[in-house]
Amino acid sequence: MGGHLNINHLMFLGQGALWTIGLSMIALIGGGIVGFVIALARISPLKSVRIASAVYVQLVQGTPLLVILFLGYFGLAAIGLKVSPLAAAGASLTLYVAAYLGEIWRGCIESVPKPQWEAAEGLALSRTQRMMKVILPQAIRIATPPTVGFMVQIIKNTSLASVVGFVELMRSGQIVNNSLFEPFAIYAIIAATYFAMCYPLSLFSQRLERRMGYGRSNLAPA
Amino acid sequence: MQQNALSSEPIVSLRDVQKSFGPLRVLDGVSFAVERGEVLALIGRSGSGKSTALRCIDRFEKVDGGEIVVCGHRVDRPDVDLRALRQDVGIVFQSYNLFPHLTIEQNITLAPCAVKGLTASQAKDLARKVLAQVGLEEKLHAYPEQLSGGQQQRAAIARSLAMQPKVMLFDEVTSALDPELTGEVLKVIEQLAADGMTMVMVTHEMGFAKGIADRIVFMHRGKVHETGPASILTSPVTPELMQFVGTGNLKS
């Protein structure tokens, strides 16, 4: 107990930071895949699919991530499903991110001007062809800045996984602090590390947005 | 105009077509037919239902009643094969609607490759051919945003032509263009007419309609109010058409 911050502590924090990045990647890739399905389901020609996906989005968006994490870890354990902290945190974040990315992407798909759909229909393209070759390529350009911006939220939100015992950056900071009792120095390091991960993404998102502002003239008149 | 003796069936026929948007009755028993090789101009004030009538032909609007037959497809029926219909019908819009993320060549080759299964090299030859038809060969690799409005509209016509439609629909294709750019688009359409293409066009260009159309359909309050050869524009029978042509070249 006690002592000073040394290289071993920093190595431990570094490892936590790597897990923060790893968990963010899991959340982004898992949430991205499920979110893409959600986005397509939200604009499905089938009413039941549209309603089911809308209910999912509303449920998740109306629930704190902390509660979802508790449900995923303690809740599942209580009904006999023992999951590891990594699995619980990964699955909870995936479900959470999917609901938000699904909504962001649905908006982007729908913001491709209607006449683009009609022109593609008029050329006898199937619904899948219209989506893949005409709508999605345009929607992806619109979606990139808000998606990168949302990644910043994901990185910060992974800190909540510390409550289910997953040792990412935040949790490793708590552990180090428990032995050193230097909360100001340690949490300042934690904050700076989060900032170092998020700020470049924020900058990148802003740059993309500026470029999009220019690129918008590319979109056909509505 | 070339008249095809093999088939006496009209290419497009509407019979007693009804269509409402909510309480608003847009088409109230519209009937007309377009023979092979014929050019039909739909004219009328904005809100008269002419654009809706045109869009019903390509099933962009579903009709509430009546019968629409286009190249043998029963367009009014719910089970109409839309993709087959749209291979036979080409449509050109007021706002061009080129795909902004694709070059002109890619805009043109997309549907022939995806729908008709042409190889890339066949489609490229085709793109060159249809672009030559509209006088834009040199814009093959340009993106839509690099073209003027008139050029974009000609490229949109070329894209439609590449599907080798049996009939082409033009929905106010010059209304978004500056006056000095409409001429180049109208010239392309004139050439198509001279080549025997069957066409239905909604237009505000009365001089153009008079010069090119075999038949005029004047719509008023969702009905075909007066119809006849282009000469009805100079000697209208109904007071409504008289007033319409009298006020000159109406904009919407």
Side-chain angles (χ1 to χ4, degrees), chain A residues 1-6 9-10 13 172-191:
Chain A
M1 281 297 169
H4 291 287
L5 195 64
N6 61 35
H9 294 127
L10 290 179
L13 291 180
S172 59
Q174 288 171 335
I175 292 170
V176 170
N177 185 52
N178 284 345
S179 69
L180 292 184
F181 304 113
E182 283 189 56
F184 187 79
I186 290 166
Y187 290 122
I189 292 172
I190 302 292

Side-chain angles (χ1 to χ4, degrees), chain A residues 133-164:
Chain A
K133 292 174 192 288
V134 176
I135 304 303
L136 284 183
Q138 298 183 60
I140 286 169
R141 298 184 42 147
I142 305 171
T144 308
T147 303
V148 174
F150 185 67
M151 282 166 67
V152 173
Q153 305 291 325
I154 300 175
I155 291 175
K156 289 187 295 183
N157 277 335
T158 56
S159 63
L160 287 172
S162 60
V163 299
V164 298

Side-chain angles (χ1 to χ4, degrees), chain A residues 116 118 121 124 133 218, chain B residues 55 83 86 98 100-101 145:
Chain A
Q116 290 284 310
E118 286 194 344
E121 264 186 270
K133 292 174 192 288
N218 272 350
Chain B
R55 287 169 60 82
R83 294 190 66 197
R86 284 160 181 170
L98 291 169
H101 60 295
E145 62 168 351

